[in-house]
Amino acid sequence: MSNAQVVVHRDGDLLAAAAAARLVTRMVDAQAARGHASVVLTGGRTGTAVLEHLNRNGARDAVDWSRVDLYWGDERFLPSGHPERNETQARAALLDHVPVDPSRVHVMEPSDGKFGDDPEAAAEAYASLLASLARPEDHGDVPSFDVCMLGVGEEGHVASVFPASPAVYEKERTVVAVRNCPKPPPTRVSLTLSSVRRAQEVWLMTTGEAKAAAVAMALSGTGEVQLPAAGATGRRRTLWLLDTAAASAVPALFKPPLA
């Protein structure tokens, strides 16, 4: 991952605030260039904190929220409105506070949705949605997202693609159902790594000493089957946003000054 860029912040809260500021700038620039922006959201503590900071950021209203397409990298296959769903957390943190166009908020179906308790059908539906929104210039069945934000697990998972799992070997499908996850809840829907790699920029955001080994391994060239985060790369940019603890084992080649 020699083309990766690493930015280290003092702590997780500062990381989230800085990521929110970066995201505003990226969306405004995309809208100025093309008239719209597209972002893949992530859940978890850091992903939600970024949205909370974005909501409080004075530059929030510089974004034309009616011209932003929002997607999710993965979703917990739980009933609509469940507090552990990434969608639920994102709405509370940001989406309920900005004038988004509901038709451009592309959620993954819940377990009590139109497909019932069938995560495979929910995954196929999301794949069909992505294909319908891809433009000819995207050269594939997934839109070329402006930014795909991802968290990183202690064992190196991203979205709900875990080491040595069926999802990490998937080469054809763009979205998959994930069963028997090592972290609860056990059933999820997730983009595959091939879909993540369609993004112009991939931002991997993580904090804490428990993540340090996975971060260092990903930056040192570990394969994506063993460490899925290593395969989460952007077409133009791969950005690792870390706090000092998560960066504590980063190879000297990547070690930047504290932001």
Side-chain angles (χ1 to χ4, degrees):
M1 197 177 285
S2 59
N3 65 337
Q5 179 183 356
V6 177
V7 178
V8 181
H9 295 283
R10 183 177 60 251
D11 56 44
D13 189 62
L14 186 57
L15 184 161
R22 285 179 181 273
L23 188 57
V24 168
T25 300
R26 188 68 187 88
M27 288 190 288
V28 169
D29 286 348
Q31 289 181 339
R34 295 192 323 275
H36 60 90
S38 58
V39 178
V40 179
L41 303 177
T42 187
R45 183 176 60 227
T46 300
T48 301
V50 170
L51 299 185
E52 290 172 343
H53 274 284
L54 202 163
N55 186 46
R56 298 194 297 266
N57 192 309
R60 182 196 74 178
D61 295 334
V63 177
D64 183 346
W65 290 99
S66 69
R67 295 188 292 125
V68 178
D69 283 287
L70 296 169
Y71 303 86
W72 274 263
D74 72 328
E75 185 56 275
R76 292 150 177 172
F77 197 60
L78 296 167
S80 180
H82 192 287
E84 291 186 16
R85 272 181 64 85
N86 293 333
E87 175 202 353
T88 305
Q89 295 170 10
R91 290 191 183 280
L94 175 67
L95 304 188
D96 288 346
H97 310 285
V98 292
V100 292
D101 179 346
S103 69
R104 300 183 83 153
V105 179
H106 308 295
V107 302
M108 294 175 168
E109 282 293 321
S111 62
D112 60 349
K114 65 177 70 173
F115 304 108
D117 193 19
D118 187 344
E120 283 78 18
E124 290 175 10
Y126 208 70
S128 296
L129 171 70
L130 295 179
S132 73
L133 295 172
R135 303 158 299 173
E137 58 266 34
D138 294 329
H139 304 294
D141 291 335
V142 178
S144 184
F145 314 114
D146 292 305
V147 176
C148 176
M149 298 191 294
L150 297 169
V152 180
E154 293 178 13
E155 73 298 275
H157 83 268
V158 290
S160 286
V161 180
F162 287 82
S165 66
V168 81
Y169 290 101
E170 182 60 54
K171 303 299 183 186
E172 301 297 327
R173 290 180 291 176
T174 58
V175 186
V176 292
V178 180
R179 295 181 180 270
N180 302 314
C181 280
K183 293 181 63 177
T187 306
R188 307 179 181 202
V189 176
S190 179
L191 299 188
T192 58
L193 289 178
S194 62
S195 295
V196 168
R197 288 192 286 258
R198 299 303 300 166
Q200 296 297 311
E201 299 189 11
V202 170
W203 298 0
L204 297 114
M205 310 179 298
T206 196
T207 64
E209 190 175 355
K211 312 293 183 64
V215 171
M217 290 172 64
L219 290 168
S220 299
T222 300
E224 64 186 44
V225 171
Q226 180 183 354
L227 201 87
T233 56
R235 297 172 69 184
R236 294 185 179 176
R237 188 186 197 195
T238 305
L239 181 63
W240 286 77
L241 300 173
L242 311 171
D243 71 351
T244 52
S248 60
V250 167
L253 174 66
F254 294 98
K255 203 107 182 191
L258 192 64

